[in-house]
Amino acid sequence: MKILDFIPRIEDRSLQIGVIGLGYVGFSLASMMAKQGFQVLAVDIDEKRVDAVNKGGLPIGGEEPGMIELVAAVTKSGKLRASTDYQVLNSIDVVVICVDTPVDPLSHYPTYRALNGALTSLGQVMMNRSDDLLVIVESTIAPGTMTSVVMATLKQIVGNAVGHLLFGHCPERVTPGKLLHNLVHVSRTVGGQTPEIVDVMKKLYGTFVCADLDGCDLLTAEIVKTAENAYRDVQIAFANELAMICENLGADVYSVREFVNKSPGRSVHMPGAGVGGHCIPKDPWLLIANVREHYEANLIQAARAVNNHMPYHMVTLVERALAANGIELSAARIGVLGYAFREDTDDDRDSPTTYFVDELQRRGAVPIIHDPYVRAYQRPLKEVVQGAHALVLMAGHSVYRNLDWDDIRQHMVQPILVDGRHYFDPYEITRHGFQYYGVGYRDNRLK
């Protein structure tokens, strides 16, 4: 089959699709494509994820509206099957790669271990093909990676054994907690090696995306996704730095933000305890990875520094609150609410809470963590608040919305709440006898 034959096979749903990676991106994409009537074969090296999918369950945690019903339906119909064996992909027409693309924590350059592994395993099962194979990468990658890594690696492995290798890049736009909604309702950038490939990809994604599908070349698609998250990182960094300024001047950042945002065209973000997840902490580094030898990109690097500092500022707030009550941080038991980086999910990738907890421990404090979604911290809340000298909110899970503050206060040594997400009403909290501290508050204590 040649590229021009793909469109009628998309229309009659006879196109066979492979998805590599069953994380948040790959799992939701595979399920959605299977829902459209395509035969989808998914591959992951994690046997637990594969087993969960084949049993009609979720390989991820957290609240995902509509997802459990969807995967149950598509696995029951046989439209979605998962395996740890790449050989199941030997007759597919399109393969979509959705694997982890981290950056080195010290150098901040991309480390494509998972991507290279996926490409190598895929190439080895494509040696005897004569039909075109469309390889789409949804993973977020540094600009230039499609040419220098994806295309180069596959062509080196398969040589002339494949009829034609065709390449596209359609960077994912999903968010934990909103996977299905974002798949359907958020616009996508569709990058292709040729205009014909772009047309095929738009036809394919158009089977479930009810938003704009903007076609472009590969490099533009790579830049768009990384620039989008770098821009958000800079916006958040401004909000966080404004909060630091307000704290030091004795002003309330939330009042300042409210009044600024009344001006047309202004939209200052919310400050908070830090930026986490798989995308925003690394995508700014991906954006500048291949220009750093020629251009400094000062703003983007400064934004990263500001946002990385916020978990440590949370430790400072805790220390300040304890000191006001004559308590040393090194002698304190700290209850921590929320370990995931995002509310109502189990996604703890690069969570600010990790750095916050590590710094507390380094300073001699004893953190006790509660998170209803992260398996390691699914403990009774009473165990967390019992004997605590302070309680710190790091993730705004909905289960924390209606806590019994009067009961919690009875179990704590000192009724201190440090709110890292502007999640609670300060006046309501203080009404229950708590001292309230938060990022960007005047004097960081409302009496």
Side-chain angles (χ1 to χ4, degrees):
M1 184 177 67
K2 302 304 180 183
I3 186 64
L4 295 179
D5 300 321
F6 277 53
I7 289 181
R9 293 194 60 188
I10 292 172
E11 292 173 342
D12 67 15
R13 302 301 193 264
S14 63
L15 197 76
Q16 295 195 67
I17 300 171
V19 175
I20 300 176
L22 283 172
Y24 291 90
V25 176
F27 169 65
S28 54
L29 177 71
S31 300
M32 181 58 73
M33 286 182 161
K35 179 184 179 182
Q36 308 313 309
F38 296 104
Q39 180 64 55
V40 180
L41 303 171
V43 174
D44 197 291
I45 61 174
D46 189 326
E47 292 184 2
K48 291 183 178 179
R49 288 183 178 180
V50 168
D51 187 55
V53 171
N54 285 332
K55 290 180 178 179
L58 303 184
I60 57 176
E63 300 292 333
E64 290 294 345
M67 185 61 84
I68 187 65
E69 296 84 2
L70 173 58
V71 69
V74 294
T75 52
K76 183 178 180 179
S77 69
K79 288 297 183 180
L80 173 61
R81 293 189 289 114
S83 175
T84 58
D85 186 359
Y86 273 78
Q87 286 296 329
V88 301
L89 303 179
N90 61 8
S91 61
I92 50 93
D93 305 304
V94 177
V95 62
V96 188
I97 300 176
C98 311
V99 297
D100 187 34
T101 55
V103 296
D104 183 270
L106 297 178
S107 70
H108 304 303
Y109 280 102
T111 56
Y112 290 138
R113 178 180 177 182
L115 180 60
N116 282 321
L119 293 170
T120 299
S121 298
L122 176 64
Q124 290 171 349
V125 301
M126 296 296 162
M127 300 300 294
N128 299 315
R129 290 177 59 97
S130 58
D131 291 334
D132 287 350
L133 172 67
L134 175 56
V135 180
I136 301 173
V137 175
E138 282 215 6
S139 306
T140 306
I141 50 183
T145 301
M146 284 300 301
T147 300
S148 64
V149 177
V150 179
M151 295 168 64
T153 300
L154 277 179
K155 288 186 176 181
Q156 182 178 16
I157 295 171
V158 303
N160 296 321
V162 173
H164 289 94
L165 282 171
L166 313 172
F167 295 95
H169 181 46
C170 187
E172 54 87 7
R173 297 290 303 280
V174 297
T175 300
K178 300 179 180 180
L179 294 180
L180 293 184
H181 177 273
N182 283 21
L183 270 176
V184 174
H185 298 292
V186 176
S187 65
R188 303 290 291 270
T189 304
V190 181
Q193 191 180 12
T194 66
E196 291 77 16
I197 294 174
V198 171
D199 289 341
V200 168
M201 292 174 63
K202 290 174 72 172
K203 188 71 174 181
L204 176 61
Y205 281 88
T207 60
F208 60 89
V209 175
C210 298
D212 290 341
L213 292 169
D214 298 308
C216 60
D217 58 81
L218 294 172
L219 180 61
T220 299
E222 291 171 314
I223 295 174
V224 166
K225 177 58 191 295
T226 50
E228 172 191 332
N229 282 335
Y231 179 58
R232 180 165 171 77
D233 196 42
V234 170
Q235 290 178 304
I236 296 171
F238 176 81
N240 284 332
E241 190 147 281
L242 180 62
M244 299 297 96
I245 292 169
C246 288
E247 278 190 29
N248 282 276
L249 291 176
D252 180 353
V253 72
Y254 299 99
S255 294
V256 172
R257 175 180 178 271
E258 177 186 356
F259 301 148
V260 169
N261 287 351
K262 287 188 174 182
S263 180
R266 307 297 186 268
S267 183
V268 177
H269 282 41
M270 290 285 286
V275 177
H278 181 60
C279 296
I280 295 181
K282 72 173 179 64
D283 289 359
W285 294 115
L286 292 178
L287 174 61
I288 66 175
N290 292 326
V291 299
R292 285 167 63 185
E293 294 182 5
H294 311 287
Y295 179 69
E296 191 64 24
N298 293 312
L299 177 62
I300 288 173
Q301 296 183 71
R304 282 282 71 235
V306 169
N307 289 335
N308 282 341
H309 172 70
M310 295 311 294
Y312 302 98
H313 181 65
M314 289 294 295
V315 175
T316 298
L317 291 182
V318 173
E319 183 177 38
R320 188 180 302 168
L322 293 172
N325 291 274
I327 303 170
E328 293 286 338
L329 179 62
S330 60
R333 175 184 172 95
I334 310 298
V336 181
L337 301 181
Y339 193 81
F341 92 92
R342 184 177 177 86
E343 65 276 5
D344 295 338
T345 77
D346 70 340
D347 193 347
D348 61 355
R349 292 175 295 178
D350 208 22
S351 172
T353 312
T354 302
Y355 305 99
F356 172 71
V357 167
D358 287 349
E359 182 64 9
L360 284 179
Q361 292 175 328
R362 190 187 72 81
R363 301 278 295 275
V366 179
I368 309 297
I369 307 166
H370 177 273
D371 194 297
Y373 299 107
V374 179
R375 188 180 300 275
Y377 306 115
Q378 292 174 339
R379 52 166 55 97
L381 184 61
K382 186 176 180 180
E383 292 182 9
V384 177
V385 302
Q386 186 68 46
H389 296 89
L391 200 58
V392 182
L393 188 283
M394 292 294 290
H397 295 313
S398 58
V399 298
Y400 299 143
R401 182 60 70 188
N402 298 307
L403 295 177
D404 187 339
W405 291 107
D406 291 327
D407 180 67
I408 289 173
R409 188 185 69 248
Q410 299 303 316
H411 296 284
M412 295 180 66
V413 174
Q414 190 69 40
I416 295 172
L417 174 67
V418 182
D419 185 352
R421 297 296 174 190
H422 193 53
Y423 188 71
F424 302 111
D425 180 345
Y427 296 98
E428 178 67 16
I429 296 300
T430 55
R431 190 177 67 82
H432 289 282
F434 278 78
Q435 299 169 25
Y436 184 93
Y437 291 75
V439 176
Y441 275 106
R442 176 187 292 112
D443 298 329
N444 255 308
R445 180 171 174 183
L446 293 178
K447 299 181 180 179

